Amino acid sequence: MDLFDVEALTHKNRIKELEALITKYQKSYYDGEAEISDAEFDKLWDELKVLDPENKILKKVGADTSLYEKVQHVMPMGSQEKAANPEQFLSWAQKHKYDEYLVEYKLDGASLELQYEKGELKRAVTRGDGTIGDDITNNARKMDGVKAVICVDGETVDFTGGIRGEVIMTHAVHKNHFSDKANCRNAANGIMKRKDGEGSEYLSLITYDALDTTGTVFFKDEEEKIKWLKKCGFNTVRLEICRSPEEVIDYRAKIMEERKTSIEYDIDGLVIKERNINLDDAFRARPDRQIAFKFSLEEAVSVLRQVEWSISGGTYTPVAVFDEVELNGTKVSRASLANPDTMRALNVQIGSHVVVVKRGEIIPKIERVVYEQDIQTAPVEFPKICETCHTPLVDNGSRLYCPNKNCSKRVLHQLLKYQQVVDIRDLGETLITQLFNTKKVQCVSDFYKLTVEDLVPYFLNEESIGQDKKSLGAEKVYNSIHSHRNLRLAQFIGAFDIEGIGETSAEKLVAAGLNSLDALLNADVDRIASVYGFAEIMAQTIVDGLKENAEEMKTLVENGTIILESEGNGILSGKSFCFTGELNTMKRADAEQLVKKNGGTTKSSVTKDLSYLVTNDTSSGSSKNQKAKQFGIKVITEDEFLGLLSENN
């Protein structure tokens, strides 16, 4: 087997692992002792859906394993299609364009079907396998909201069929009587199936569906159905009518916030339906005309309290500070607002209720504002003057920045960036700052003009200097600087701290044919914007930045201080690598430079177009390993990575 044929095997093994986990957790859920939360279960479900969309597990519903009598449902209790985030919901909505979207709470409890004959309750049946469930009628009769007889104005309603709802436990009941249970859903699911029925009186049924099997029409659409159930005395789910998919998304954000304090029971999403009652779709194992729009551990709603401005070089970046929320197990109170245009597009203000997201390994960000009436807000104040040189700041929409090339904060930031990208390790941040403050180094070129004598005072005191002592530290720094004069073009460009063009983006431009310094410096906005991933605004920023630094760049190359290596087809050309975990033979930065020197590229995260994930713990359950398996990316060890280099030499 070829070394990298393990990809297919790893893929299959993960599918089998997911099948086993999903089956196990479904069983514990239907037995009333769920081991993980719905959100955690949904992550496993969604991963399997990506790896194997037609897997039979995805078509099944769990089954009860108790000893109750088995009864067939009047209405199928299949699983709903799910959307985990706004993007997935919009994808569904593009195929399901309704004049109105009827939106109900997705109740986080245990499904139950009440079966009536001529208005009298005959059976109460659990979800089971979606077709047949357990008869728990005696327990159900004790629950709040379960009607022994359906009556309206004192008259029995001649209804024969099924009424479907969710058995829930309120937060107050859980706190006062069942705090030993992990959560309300687990408690409700376990209590409703007790053989002695003890505790069922603490449970409530909230209904949302009904079907008369005799053909009698009690309601004409989904809204009338809820009104009829309420008229019959049942507890009913809250219903909201939205006019567009975007309105549904805004409503979801609003409910995500309300559920923290204003809803007395647990909900874990919304159910989106059309107005018309579609029985053909309802009787499918997995209805297509409705969807469960889930809440996510990676989203939360909070209140924006202030905006701070993070200053990097000459660029001022807005950072939102909001009431602390939990995202995917992490407490978060700050998120990037990107730039002035993003803030304006969001229309974010101090006091705004905002949706905060953190999907995968992405840094938290503000995704949208939740508009609510009677909320006091105030505009965000933008800084006007550079805090360092007092030059008026420029707001070009995509960024807010100091335009003064000689601003000391900008110059020092560029010097530190150059050292970092070129990787002159012995020339540390403290020494650079000292050299800058004493006017020894005021531009990149000054690094290469330093002599050992210039550096000695930064390592020895006056007494030692007076005794003509040598400074090994000064010699080490000098040698380190001059051993970093052969640079790749992308590395050289990326080291100049130009907004919008780091080393990685410079590599893309080089790969697109701008593979000489002259080609890059002479490229206009249209040429750079024609490269995939470079929009016109970014291209303009890059052109301006290159122009600003062109003279020094050309001087360094023309006088031989910097020798640009030819851009050839290295042995790793066309391949990309992401390193995770600890390496044994080298530092990660060294491994990344090794990739680049051999024509490859590096990434900080796992994306679909990654060639290899390099880790010495290939069996780790880390997020990067999980993503690599999900995308079918080859996972290799450090030795295998080094083997790629040696086998091509």
Side-chain angles (χ1 to χ4, degrees), residues 203-258:
L203 305 179
S204 299
L205 181 74
I206 299 177
T207 61
Y208 51 84
D209 205 357
L211 174 67
D212 183 275
T213 56
T214 67
T216 305
V217 177
F218 291 94
F219 36 79
K220 295 180 181 179
D221 59 35
E222 293 288 350
E223 183 181 16
E224 284 191 12
K225 181 190 293 181
I226 298 298
K227 290 179 178 178
W228 179 81
L229 285 166
K230 186 176 293 185
K231 185 178 180 181
C232 292
F234 290 100
N235 301 323
T236 56
V237 70
R238 176 175 169 180
L239 174 68
E240 184 80 9
I241 299 175
C242 297
R243 308 294 175 183
S244 68
E246 292 72 23
E247 194 175 326
V248 173
I249 292 172
D250 287 340
Y251 178 67
R252 172 177 175 264
K254 179 173 179 287
I255 297 304
M256 281 170 60
E257 183 175 23
E258 284 186 4

Side-chain angles (χ1 to χ4, degrees), residues 147-168:
K147 315 299 292 184
V149 179
I150 302 177
C151 293
V152 174
D153 298 329
E155 297 290 330
T156 300
V157 178
D158 189 15
F159 173 87
T160 297
I163 291 176
R164 185 174 175 182
E166 199 88 352
V167 178
I168 60 97

Side-chain angles (χ1 to χ4, degrees), residues 572-579 595 599-603 605 607-614 633-634 636 644:
L572 298 182
S573 179
K575 297 181 175 66
S576 57
F577 296 78
C578 176
F579 295 86
V595 169
T601 58
T602 62
K603 295 177 180 288
S605 60
T607 57
K608 290 182 179 179
D609 59 345
L610 183 70
S611 303
Y612 304 101
L613 175 66
V614 184
I633 291 166
K634 297 170 184 176
I636 62 175
L644 286 176

